Amino acid sequence: DGSSCKPGDITEQRYVEDLMGGTPNVRPTASTAKAVAALARASRSYRDHDCAYADRLLAAAEAGWAYLQASPQNIPATGFNGEQSTDDAERLWAAAELFRATKRPVYDRYFRDRYKSYASVWTSTTDSSGYPAQRAVIAYLSATPGQGDRVLAPA
């Protein structure tokens, strides 16, 4: 129809809705886990240039992780983001990026306890490298350069 999606081109009044099924202040866990992964990764990127900002990013990532730990069940998004039935791959990615940023054992354990359930993504001919489980393994192996075969070897 030729209409633009650019924010500056939209003249109607817009609202931020903070409700899901009538419940206010809902924070979908898959979206939170993606944000945690991005924040942890960004903290590494800024570490050499603006340490204070990198610390703020990492603190936000760890606060998001704390929310995920306090909310162990998937809380799906609705509307534009669709309803996601699981958040496992996103949580795996968040843990891998936090491990890469901090080397803390808690994130290492979380990743190691769960990564094997995603072995099929490496043999799939239809999944893309954007799949969160693939991003998780890449981030984890990047945190342990040269040790990947030993770290992720079958038990």
Side-chain angles (χ1 to χ4, degrees):
D1 70 23
S3 63
S4 172
C5 292
K6 294 178 185 176
D9 293 343
I10 300 172
T11 58
E12 302 87 40
Q13 189 166 6
R14 293 173 280 177
Y15 301 91
V16 174
E17 185 177 329
D18 193 16
L19 292 173
M20 185 170 74
T23 304
N25 204 22
V26 173
R27 293 176 179 87
T29 49
S31 299
T32 299
K34 290 175 192 175
V36 167
L39 288 163
R41 186 175 181 128
S43 75
R44 287 185 310 95
S45 297
Y46 279 95
R47 182 68 48 207
D48 292 337
H49 308 288
D50 187 340
C51 198
Y53 185 58
D55 289 345
R56 285 179 41 216
L57 292 169
L58 186 57
E62 290 190 307
W65 183 259
Y67 169 74
L68 292 171
Q69 295 306 290
S71 306
Q73 300 299 319
N74 178 50
I75 300 172
T78 60
F80 179 75
N81 290 320
E83 291 195 24
Q84 201 166 330
S85 62
T86 181
D87 60 10
D88 295 337
E90 289 81 6
R91 287 175 187 255
L92 187 74
W93 182 28
E97 291 290 357
L98 281 166
F99 176 65
R100 188 173 181 193
T102 68
K103 303 295 189 282
R104 292 190 183 133
V106 64
Y107 306 124
D108 183 37
R109 276 191 306 276
Y110 187 94
F111 180 88
R112 286 179 185 238
D113 287 348
R114 291 164 179 82
Y115 80 92
K116 289 181 183 177
S117 63
Y118 291 95
S120 65
V121 301
W122 297 103
T123 57
S124 172
T125 59
T126 58
D127 285 332
S128 73
S129 61
Y131 186 60
Q134 289 178 330
R135 290 179 180 202
V137 172
I138 291 167
Y140 186 84
L141 291 177
S142 297
T144 56
Q147 300 177 22
D149 291 340
R150 181 184 63 78
V151 172
L152 298 183

